[in-house]
C-alpha cells in the first residue's frame, strides 16, 4: 500500500519517533504518522514500531472503535480518524457504562488475537464524541493465538491496565473479581518493573527528554 498525496495537514503531536498529522483528504480527514520527522538515528526503531502498528491494524480490519489502516509505505502510516478526546482530557468519572463498554472492546480485541500492550497510557484510550471508548496507538501491539498462554497473559495485562483506570475514575464500581485481578500481578509485569522500566525511563527522560507521562514527547 502507498500513501496518496494530500492537500493539507495539521500537526496533532510530535515526538522523537515522528509526527502525527490530521490530514484533509479527498474522502475526509485521516491521521498520518510521518516518520520523516524523526532523527536519523531513530529511523529504524520508528519504522519498526510503525510496521508493527500497521500489522495490528490490518489484523483488526473491520472492527469498530479502533483505527482502520488506510496506507503504509515504510515512511507514512495512514489510518482512519476517530473524533474524540484522550481519556485524560475527558475522564469518564463515575461512568460505569463506559468501563463496561471498554471491557467489551478489549474482549473483542483479544478474541481477534491482538494484545494492545500499551494501555497504561491514558492517551491511548479515547472517549469518542458520542461517549464510547476507543483505542489508538498500536505500535507495541502483539499478534498471536488468543488461546496461547502468552497471549492470555498479555490480555490479562491489558485488562489490569483498564482496571487501574477504572480504580482511578470509577472506584466504587470495581467488583470483587476486578479487585483480585488488580492485586495479582504477573511475572511479565514484575520483570518489566525490575529490568525494562528503569531503562525505558532513562532513555525517555534523560536522552529523549520526555517530561510527561502520556508518551507525547518533549514539552515545548
Amino acid at each position: 500500500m502507498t500513501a496518496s498525496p494530500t492537500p493539507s495537514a495539521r500537526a496533532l503531536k510530535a515526538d522523537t519517533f515522528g509526527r502525527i498529522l490530521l490530514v484533509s483528504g479527498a474522502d475526509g480527514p485521516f491521521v498520518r504518522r510521518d516518520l520523516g520527522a524523526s532523527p536519523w538515528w531513530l529511523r529504524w526503531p520508528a519504522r519498526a514500531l510503525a510496521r508493527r502498528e500497521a500489522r495490528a491494524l490490518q489484523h483488526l480490519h473491520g472492527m469498530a472503535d479502533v483505527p482502520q489502516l488506510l496506507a503504509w509505505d515504510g515512511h507514512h502510516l495512514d489510518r482512519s480518524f476517530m473524533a474524540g478526546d484522550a481519556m485524560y482530557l475527558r475522564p469518564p468519572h463515575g461512568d460505569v457504562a463506559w468501563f463496561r463498554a471498554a471491557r467489551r472492546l478489549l474482549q473483542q480485541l483479544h478474541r481477534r488475537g491482538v494484545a494492545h500492550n500499551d494501555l497504561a497510557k491514558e492517551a491511548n484510550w479515547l472517549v469518542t464524541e458520542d461517549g464510547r471508548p476507543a483505542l489508538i496507538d498500536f505500535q507495541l501491539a502483539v499478534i498471536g493465538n488468543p488461546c496461547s498462554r502468552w497471549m492470555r497473559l498479555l490480555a490479562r495485562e491489558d485488562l489490569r491496565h483498564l482496571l487501574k483506570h477504572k480504580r482511578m475514575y470509577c472506584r466504587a464500581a470495581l467488583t470483587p473479581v476486578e479487585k483480585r485481578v488488580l492485586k495479582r500481578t504477573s511475572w511479565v509485569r514484575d520483570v518489566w518493573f525490575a529490568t525494562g522500566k528503569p531503562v525505558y525511563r532513562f532513555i525517555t527522560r534523560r536522552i529523549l527528554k520526555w517530561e510527561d507521562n502520556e508518551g507525547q514527547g518533549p514539552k515545548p
Side-chain angles (χ1 to χ4, degrees):
M1 289 184 286
T2 57
S4 57
T6 54
S8 63
R10 175 170 63 90
L12 297 177
K13 186 176 82 170
D15 59 28
T16 43
F17 292 115
R19 290 181 301 170
I20 305 297
L21 307 171
L22 180 60
V23 182
S24 300
D27 299 321
F30 64 90
V31 176
R32 165 167 292 179
R33 183 182 297 277
D34 178 13
L35 305 185
S38 61
W40 66 267
W41 53 280
L42 282 175
R43 293 284 171 83
W44 183 86
R47 189 172 290 114
L49 291 171
R51 183 168 59 246
R52 180 183 286 255
E53 181 170 25
R55 287 186 63 241
L57 295 183
Q58 195 168 31
H59 200 77
L60 296 171
H61 177 73
M63 180 174 161
D65 298 319
V66 298
Q68 299 299 297
L69 180 66
L70 303 178
W72 163 239
D73 63 4
H75 302 284
H76 301 101
L77 186 150
D78 294 348
R79 61 171 175 82
S80 60
F81 171 70
M82 294 190 295
D85 298 299
M87 179 194 283
Y88 68 97
L89 293 175
R90 189 178 160 196
H93 287 290
D95 193 342
V96 178
W98 189 93
F99 282 100
R100 285 176 180 164
R103 184 158 185 170
R104 289 195 297 269
L105 178 59
L106 269 189
Q107 289 171 341
Q108 294 174 43
L109 192 79
H110 297 151
R111 288 192 192 108
R112 288 182 177 232
V114 176
H116 188 284
N117 221 30
D118 198 20
L119 293 182
K121 294 180 183 176
E122 294 190 22
N124 292 342
W125 286 98
L126 290 188
V127 180
T128 63
E129 286 188 336
D130 59 359
R132 299 189 326 275
L135 293 171
I136 60 171
D137 197 350
F138 285 77
Q139 292 186 95
L140 299 181
V142 175
I143 301 172
N145 183 343
C147 296
S148 69
R149 290 184 63 185
W150 176 240
M151 291 301 293
R152 290 203 307 270
L153 184 63
L154 294 181
R156 185 183 179 87
E157 286 302 296
D158 277 354
L159 175 60
R160 283 188 70 253
H161 289 308
L162 171 61
L163 294 180
K164 286 182 180 180
H165 299 312
K166 185 176 181 180
R167 182 173 60 191
M168 172 69 70
Y169 296 118
C170 206
R171 192 183 191 96
L174 282 172
T175 68
V177 172
E178 290 172 341
K179 291 176 182 177
R180 287 198 294 271
V181 171
L182 281 168
K183 288 181 180 179
R184 186 180 175 186
T185 60
S186 71
W187 64 265
V188 172
R189 182 260 187 197
D190 294 338
V191 170
W192 166 249
F193 270 76
T195 59
K197 192 155 189 176
V199 176
Y200 171 82
R201 282 178 171 168
F202 176 81
I203 293 173
T204 56
R205 296 182 183 182
R206 298 292 183 88
I207 299 177
L208 303 181
K209 305 300 183 183
W210 289 3
E211 298 177 15
D212 64 302
N213 65 352
E214 298 299 342
Q216 297 179 74
K219 292 181 180 179

